[in-house]
Amino acid sequence: MASVNVENLSALSAKHPKPANTFTYGTAGFRMNADLLDSVIFRTGILAALRSKKLDGKVIGCMITASHNPAADNGVKLVDPMGEMLEGSWEAHATALSNAQSDEQLVDYIHSMVSSLKIDLTKPANVIIGRDTRPSGVALVNAFVDGLKVLDAKSTDYGILTTPQLHYITRCLNTAGTPEAYGEPSAEGYYKKLAAAFKTLVDGKTKLSPLTLDCANGVGAPKFQEFLPYLGDSLSVKIVNDDIDNPSKLNLNSGADYVKTGQRAPVGLKLTSQDRCASFDGDADRIVYYYQDEDNTFKLLDGDKIAGLAAMFIIDLVKAAGIDSIKVGVVQTAYANGASTQYLRNTLNVPVSCVPTGVKHLHHEALKYDVGVYFEANGHGTVVFSPSALKTIYSAEGSSPAQAVAIRSLRALSEVINQTVGDAFSDLLLVETILTQRQWSPKVWDQAYTDLPNRLVKVVVQDRSIFKTVDAERKLVEPAGLQDAIDAIVLKFRDGRSFVRPSGTEDVVRVYAEAATRSETDELAHRIGGLVFDFNSQGSGLRPREFI
Ligand code: 16G
Ligand code: MG
C-alpha cells in the first residue's frame, strides 16, 4: 500500500482553502451557496478517487448541481458504478474530509480510510464529471479535478448534462462488454436508446396533442431540445422556460418544485383547458404533470399520480403478456397522499412500502420487488426491473399475438425507463407512452382517485437536529412528548394525518398535513406547525426564528 504524496496534496490544497463553515454530505450530497463550495468539492474529488480505487478502478460519477435550489447555490454528489447514489457508509467519509481543519488532518483521514477500508492506492482511479447550467459549475469542476490529481485519478469531463444522464453514462461505462451492458456511454447513446424504445411503445397509435414542457430555465431545456430530433414525429413537445443564458432565471417561478409546492402553473406558461403540461426541475431528475379543468381549476398530477399510472399500466401489461408471476410493488414516502396509497392498495391490490425521504431509500426498497415502482410525491422516481424479471420478460414468447404484443411493450418499457435513478426525460416518455396507448387525456388519468387536500409548511428552528424520527419519518421520538401532542390534535380531524420531520437539505423542520377538506387541512397544518414552534421555544429553551 502506497501512501499519499503529501507535497503534491499540500500544493493542490493551497489553491482550495477551507472556510470556517462546517459541512455535511446530506440527502443529495453537499449543497449550498456556490461561494462556499470550492474546498468541499476539491476534497470530494479526493473521495471520488478513493472510491474508484476501492472498487478496483471502476468509474465513479460526479455531478455538480444544486437541482431546484436558487441559481446562486451549487452542489456535488457522487454516483456509484451501477449509476446508483454513493454508498451510504461513504457519506460520513465525505463529511469528515470536507471538515478536516488542516492538510495534516486531511492526510491523516485519507490514511485512516486507506487502512480501515483496505484501499490500495496503487490501483487506478477513473472518474467522470457532469454539471448543470449554473455558471459557478466551471470553476467547481476545476476544483474537483484538482482533488482527483491528489491521487492521480483519470478524469473525463462530459460538460453540461442532466443528472440522470450522468448516472446513465456511469453505468454504461462500467457495464460495457458485459452481459449487463447498459448502452452507449454518451448523451447521444442515451437519446438513441430512449427514442428507439419510445417509438416501439407508441408504434401504430394515434399521436396525442402536443405537450407543453416547462424546463425551469435549466439544463433540461438544451438537452431536451437536443433529444427532440431523435424522437422525430413520435412526440410533439413545446418547450417553455428555456432561458439558460440568464442564470438568475434558473428555477425562478418555474420548475417542478415551484409547481408542486405552490400547486400552481409556472410563470411563462399559459394554461388553457385540457392542455397537457409538465415541469422539470433544474437538473431534470424530477417531473410533475398538470392541466386545467373546464372550470379553470389547476390540477396537479404529481409523483403519486405518476406512480399510480405506471403501476396500473405495468400490472395490466404483465397480465396481458401472460407472465403474472412477475410481482409489482410500489414504494412511497410519508409525503404520499393518503388517497394514492389507498388506490394502490385497495384498487390495484399492489403491496406498498413506505420509506424515509431521499431517492436512495426508495431505490433500495424498490429493488426488493420483481418490478418496483418508486416515486416521491415531488416527482422524483422511476421503475426498477429485477434481473430475474428481465430474464422472464426477455425469454417469454407468448402463446397468442396479443401476448406477443404485450411482451414487446414490456421489453421496450424496461428500456425507456432509466433504471439507475429517477429521470424526468424517461418518466416523461413513460407517461406519454401510457397516455398514448390508452388515448387518455390528463383528466382521465386524474380520475383514478381524488387527492386528499394537503398542506406543507416549514418551521424555521435554531437546531433541527433535536428532531428525531422513526417509522419512515412518520413518528417523532424526540423531542419527548411532541408526538403525543401531535396525535391528540390529528385525532380531531376527519381523515387527518400529519407528521413532522427535519429537512435534510434546509435548516428547517417540515410539517405535512392532510385531512378531508381544504379548510380542515389548513387548520391542521397550522395547529401542528404552531405546536412545533411553541415546543421548540419552550421545550428546548431555543428561540424559534420563524413559522412560514
Ligand atoms: C433531496 C432528495 C429528494 C428529497 C429531498 C427532500 C435525492 C437525489 N434528492 O433533494 O429525493 O425529496 O431532498 O428534501 O435524494 P428535504 O429533506 O429538505 O425535505
Ligand atoms: Mg433535481
Side-chain angles (χ1 to χ4, degrees):
M1 304 256 169
S3 55
V4 180
N5 178 336
V6 177
E7 218 169 277
N8 181 33
L9 180 143
S10 303
L12 289 160
S13 170
K15 291 164 66 184
H16 308 284
K18 180 190 174 299
N21 310 56
T22 306
F23 304 105
T24 312
Y25 193 99
T27 333
F30 292 108
R31 197 181 287 183
M32 67 202 76
N33 189 288
D35 293 342
L36 292 170
L37 272 169
D38 181 65
S39 68
V40 176
I41 293 207
F42 165 71
R43 291 156 183 223
T44 308
I46 301 178
L47 188 82
L50 286 167
R51 181 85 186 138
S52 178
K53 284 174 191 281
K54 165 73 190 164
L55 300 176
D56 234 351
K58 287 242 159 56
V59 178
I60 296 298
C62 160
M63 184 69 198
I64 309 272
T65 179
S67 183
H68 58 279
N69 285 38
D73 284 3
N74 214 328
V76 61
K77 58 184 167 193
L78 296 184
V79 173
D80 263 356
M82 288 303 274
E84 70 278 43
M85 301 287 182
L86 176 68
E87 186 188 296
S89 64
W90 276 60
E91 293 178 5
H93 300 311
T95 299
L97 281 180
S98 69
N99 291 312
Q101 294 301 331
S102 61
D103 290 350
E104 227 170 38
Q105 273 193 15
L106 203 52
V107 172
D108 285 351
Y109 197 83
I110 296 169
H111 284 149
S112 76
M113 282 180 72
V114 166
S115 81
S116 65
L117 300 167
K118 302 195 173 45
I119 299 172
D120 182 352
L121 287 180
T122 63
K123 287 264 167 83
N126 293 293
V127 181
I128 64 166
I129 310 163
R131 63 183 162 91
D132 69 16
T133 50
R134 288 175 163 81
S136 55
V138 179
L140 294 175
V141 167
N142 291 335
F144 184 81
V145 171
D146 275 351
L148 295 177
K149 284 181 190 158
V150 170
L151 294 171
D152 288 326
K154 182 173 163 272
S155 68
T156 311
D157 183 0
Y158 279 79
I160 293 178
L161 290 177
T162 70
T163 295
Q165 287 178 332
L166 188 270
H167 285 255
Y168 162 89
I169 294 171
T170 306
R171 180 151 170 171
C172 290
L173 289 167
N174 286 306
T175 54
T178 73
E180 286 84 42
Y182 197 60
E184 281 174 44
S186 63
E188 200 195 352
Y190 166 94
Y191 298 137
K192 283 203 257 178
K193 175 173 175 167
L194 265 57
F198 181 70
K199 285 177 181 168
T200 305
L201 286 161
V202 296
D203 185 30
K205 308 281 177 210
T206 307
K207 200 170 143 184
L208 298 178
S209 60
L211 169 76
T212 307
L213 179 61
D214 154 38
C215 289
N217 299 306
V219 62
K223 293 292 154 184
F224 208 85
Q225 196 67 51
E226 210 170 275
F227 185 26
L228 281 175
Y230 295 85
L231 289 166
D233 62 5
S234 62
L235 182 70
S236 303
V237 178
K238 180 171 173 270
I239 297 177
V240 299
N241 292 331
D242 59 351
D243 187 359
I244 58 163
D245 296 328
N246 281 308
S248 61
K249 287 174 83 175
L250 175 63
N251 296 321
L252 190 67
N253 301 327
S254 62
D257 200 59
Y258 176 87
V259 172
K260 166 72 183 163
T261 326
Q263 314 212 357
R264 69 205 143 176
V267 171
L269 183 151
K270 174 99 193 66
L271 256 191
T272 49
S273 227
Q274 292 294 314
D275 272 355
R276 202 167 75 265
C277 304
S279 285
F280 289 166
D281 72 337
D283 63 337
D285 63 356
R286 270 169 65 175
I287 185 170
V288 293
Y289 269 75
Y290 43 95
Y291 68 102
Q292 184 174 281
D293 216 346
E294 292 88 354
D295 59 1
N296 294 346
T297 330
F298 173 85
K299 296 281 196 172
L300 180 66
L301 293 154
D302 62 2
D304 298 338
K305 288 275 181 181
I306 299 176
L309 183 77
M312 176 278 300
F313 184 72
I314 295 170
I315 290 167
D316 279 359
L317 213 49
V318 162
K319 267 191 213 133
I323 41 177
D324 37 11
S325 59
I326 293 183
K327 297 289 170 233
V328 180
V330 181
V331 186
Q332 303 186 311
T333 71
Y335 288 111
N337 197 280
S340 78
T341 314
Q342 284 225 355
Y343 165 75
L344 292 165
R345 288 212 171 112
N346 304 340
T347 307
L348 296 185
N349 292 312
V350 275
V352 182
S353 347
C354 183
V355 299
T357 304
V359 169
K360 62 180 177 225
H361 300 297
L362 288 111
H363 192 92
H364 186 75
E365 181 70 19
L367 293 174
K368 296 182 181 163
Y369 296 105
D370 295 333
V371 178
V373 177
Y374 74 81
F375 272 90
E376 290 186 312
N378 64 20
H380 223 145
T382 191
V383 181
V384 285
F385 291 75
S386 73
S388 78
L390 283 176
K391 216 170 139 200
T392 310
I393 291 168
Y394 276 88
S395 58
E397 282 166 4
S399 51
S400 68
Q403 285 192 347
V405 169
I407 291 165
R408 203 166 87 106
S409 280
L410 271 173
R411 287 180 193 158
L413 209 61
S414 74
E415 296 270 307
V416 97
I417 297 170
N418 190 330
Q419 305 280 300
T420 66
V421 79
D423 178 343
F425 286 24
S426 140
D427 292 341
L428 179 152
L429 296 181
L430 169 66
V431 171
E432 293 298 309
T433 293
I434 303 172
L435 299 184
T436 308
Q437 288 216 4
R438 300 278 158 126
Q439 291 292 299
W440 279 2
S441 66
K443 190 180 164 123
V444 176
W445 167 16
D446 202 13
Q447 277 159 0
Y449 63 86
T450 307
D451 270 325
L452 284 169
N454 57 94
R455 171 81 60 220
L456 192 60
V457 294
K458 45 185 173 180
V459 185
V460 181
V461 295
Q462 291 211 338
D463 181 9
R464 72 187 198 274
S465 71
I466 62 165
F467 294 84
K468 300 258 161 40
T469 63
V470 291
D471 190 20
E473 303 180 316
R474 289 173 290 194
K475 290 225 163 329
L476 277 176
V477 279
E478 284 176 37
L482 184 50
Q483 187 61 48
D484 290 341
I486 294 172
D487 292 344
I489 294 178
V490 170
L491 266 182
K492 297 183 183 140
F493 289 79
R494 275 185 309 144
D495 291 334
R497 187 168 73 91
S498 179
F499 64 90
V500 171
R501 60 174 278 276
S503 157
T505 62
E506 274 182 80
D507 215 359
V508 298
V509 169
R510 299 200 196 281
V511 174
Y512 176 88
E514 67 185 31
T517 61
R518 166 61 46 214
S519 61
E520 284 167 285
T521 303
D522 288 346
E523 192 193 333
L524 178 59
H526 205 77
R527 285 183 61 182
I528 304 292
L531 191 68
V532 173
F533 181 88
D534 292 344
F535 213 90
N536 181 59
S537 50
Q538 295 152 15
S540 68
L542 295 172
R543 271 193 36 238
R545 301 213 304 264
E546 246 178 293
F547 170 38
I548 309 168

